[in-house]
Amino acid sequence: MKKRILGLLLALCVLAGILPQLSLQAQAAGVLSSAPYPKIEYAQTDDTPAGTIRYVSQIPDEGYNGFYSAYWGRFESYARGECYTACISMALSYTGVNATPLALGEYWLSRGYTGGTPFATTPEDVDAFGAQCLKLSFAQAMDNYLNGNGKYSPPIIHLPNYSARGHYVAVVGKVSDTVYVVLDPAASTHTWNITISGNSATHPHGVERALEDATQYYNPYGGIGIHKDGSDCPGKIFSDMPKETDWSHAGIDYCTEQALMNGTGNGKFEPGLNTTRAMLACVLYRIAGEPEVTDCTTPFTDLTADWYQDAVAWAYEQGIVNGVDEERYLPDAIVTREQMVTMLYRFLALEEQTWPELDGYTDAGQVSDWAQDAMCWAVANEMINGVSATELAPGSGASRAQVAVILMRVLTAEA
């Protein structure tokens, strides 16, 4: 239900024409929010997730701060005139297809082309990259892009009067019913506004009256929040969701799908934010099914917020949490690594047994007496790793991403 509501709100924003205008500063590895979907990134990695437009510059001049030779390879000499190939690469990256100008060029040669531009011109040319090439009216292509959930690329349009040879740009955002934002592989500002009304496109270099169609790519296996294997990505609801290749991605996916962890607000998960003692009590309470809390009382005088009252009272009653002293729980304090595994250990109510000692860790002596069994259990069962090969850091904080991964390990191991 939450996903459907989020999608509806996004669609309403698009229809209302209130999507923000893009801006992309010439900074190495710059990443900024964009409309209608989250990100534009400079072309530095091969694993750009679907829904991200990977910027590819066709201009090798140093002043453009965006040209990456590795993406053109042996076709670097073509770059100055290959605005269409750059746009194809950018558009395909949005649908989750990793087709660099180098890859496009290699395929172009394999097809027997011996000259001319652009590299990829037919449906067959891009089919090898898992996409379909569509020729549509600009209005239809834009509608697909705005409402296609990442399966349809930004439209690529041709502006014959832009220069003597013409020019291609990708339309990546909508400002109003007639004003759009283009991502230009040959512009030092990277983006600029264009006015399109019917078949007339007004741009900085004059008026083009031959805008009859647009090139668009469709990836049936792509889409916002779709993993490379075609499975859904529960964490797609968060604008700061780590990439699929990140160590924490699967854990956040799991905790989101199981409704164990919520976002922190404004569509963010904040994976690097330290987890508090109240947050972890709430997570364990959700895992337990949020049982009714009636007669549970605590001696703590510092439980002032409503959102964690029942969770802490329940966890205290179950013997899962203790206070830092007789009257204080410190709900907003960062939960330490040893506190975290101890709470999990008590929650699981594991049978007492002897676990291997914490040999090999130089700070094993820093583990509190009350956390010894829990920490030995967690390390022995690979529920928690050291921060290095020789350090456990029992007293350091645990990020939300770390907690998500540990919860996934613990709960899937018990399943």
Side-chain angles (χ1 to χ4, degrees):
M1 179 62 73
K2 289 182 179 178
K3 296 178 182 178
R4 287 197 291 270
I5 292 173
L6 186 64
L8 177 60
L9 290 174
L10 177 60
L12 289 174
C13 287
V14 171
L15 293 174
I18 59 173
L19 293 169
Q21 180 178 339
L22 291 173
S23 65
L24 183 59
Q25 301 300 322
Q27 299 173 5
V31 179
L32 293 176
S33 295
S34 63
Y37 294 112
K39 295 177 181 177
I40 291 177
E41 295 182 357
Y42 282 103
Q44 288 189 314
T45 61
D46 292 339
D47 59 350
T48 302
T52 298
I53 302 171
R54 185 180 59 199
Y55 175 74
V56 179
S57 174
Q58 75 177 89
I59 303 298
D61 296 352
E62 184 178 350
Y64 282 80
N65 294 321
F67 185 82
Y68 296 101
S69 298
Y71 276 74
W72 289 91
R74 63 188 179 122
F75 300 100
E76 182 175 339
S77 61
Y78 288 89
R80 186 176 294 278
E82 275 293 345
C83 53
Y84 191 32
T85 300
C87 283
I88 291 171
S89 180
M90 292 191 296
L92 288 175
S93 71
Y94 178 82
T95 67
V97 176
N98 179 34
T100 66
L102 170 60
L104 289 168
E106 294 291 355
Y107 185 73
W108 169 68
L109 288 184
S110 74
R111 297 276 295 168
Y113 295 107
T114 57
T117 59
F119 291 158
T121 59
T122 69
E124 292 76 21
D125 285 333
V126 294
D127 183 66
F129 298 95
Q132 299 173 22
C133 179
L134 308 175
K135 293 291 186 179
L136 303 167
S137 69
F138 173 74
Q140 182 59 59
M142 200 64 194
D143 182 67
N144 287 343
Y145 168 59
L146 292 175
N147 300 299
N149 200 37
K151 290 182 180 292
Y152 292 88
S153 77
I156 298 172
I157 58 174
H158 185 216
L159 303 173
N161 293 348
Y162 184 94
S163 65
R165 297 179 60 187
H167 191 52
Y168 290 89
V169 292
V171 182
V172 296
K174 181 177 181 180
V175 179
S176 69
D177 288 340
T178 57
V179 179
Y180 300 85
V181 181
V182 300
L183 185 59
D184 187 343
S188 59
T189 55
H190 303 97
T191 63
W192 43 270
N193 286 1
I194 188 172
T195 300
I196 298 176
S197 180
N199 292 337
S200 177
T202 305
H203 53 81
H205 292 263
V207 177
E208 169 52 47
R209 299 187 181 279
L211 186 63
E212 296 178 352
D213 58 26
T215 302
Q216 186 171 54
Y217 299 100
Y218 170 70
N219 178 14
Y221 304 106
I224 305 300
I226 302 297
H227 294 141
K228 289 183 178 179
D229 64 2
S231 62
D232 186 58
C233 174
K236 66 186 177 183
I237 61 174
F238 303 117
S239 62
D240 56 353
M241 180 67 177
K243 292 182 178 181
E244 186 180 357
T245 53
D246 188 85
W247 62 271
S248 66
H249 184 101
I252 297 173
D253 263 353
Y254 176 83
C255 289
T256 302
E257 186 173 33
Q258 301 297 320
L260 303 182
M261 297 181 74
N262 300 321
T264 57
N266 298 317
K268 294 183 179 296
F269 185 83
E270 294 194 85
L273 184 70
N274 278 319
T275 308
T276 66
R277 288 166 54 83
M279 285 179 186
L280 188 53
C282 287
V283 169
L284 298 178
Y285 185 53
R286 293 187 193 113
I287 297 173
E290 299 185 337
E292 185 177 356
V293 176
T294 53
D295 298 327
C296 297
T297 59
T298 75
F300 308 131
T301 60
D302 58 351
L303 302 180
T304 57
D306 291 337
W307 62 271
Y308 56 68
Q309 292 280 353
D310 285 353
V312 174
W314 165 83
Y316 178 76
E317 182 74 14
Q318 298 296 314
I320 296 171
V321 302
N322 295 317
V324 296
D325 56 35
E326 292 183 356
E327 295 185 347
R328 295 181 305 154
Y329 178 74
L330 295 187
D332 298 323
I334 295 171
V335 67
T336 65
R337 286 160 58 85
E338 65 176 7
Q339 289 172 352
M340 173 184 60
V341 296
T342 299
M343 290 169 70
L344 286 168
Y345 186 65
R346 292 171 179 166
F347 173 81
L348 294 172
L350 298 172
E351 294 182 6
E352 289 189 13
Q353 60 178 290
T354 302
W355 303 103
E357 296 296 323
L358 301 173
D359 296 332
Y361 292 102
T362 57
D363 56 354
Q366 297 176 20
V367 177
S368 302
D369 291 342
W370 49 262
Q372 285 287 338
D373 287 346
M375 190 65 82
C376 289
W377 158 77
V379 172
N381 289 278
E382 298 182 342
M383 300 304 175
I384 189 171
N385 299 319
V387 296
S388 71
T390 58
E391 291 181 289
L392 272 176
S396 66
S399 71
R400 286 169 53 80
Q402 290 171 335
V403 169
V405 171
I406 291 169
L407 285 172
M408 178 183 67
R409 290 172 182 165
V410 170
L411 297 178
T412 55
E414 291 296 311

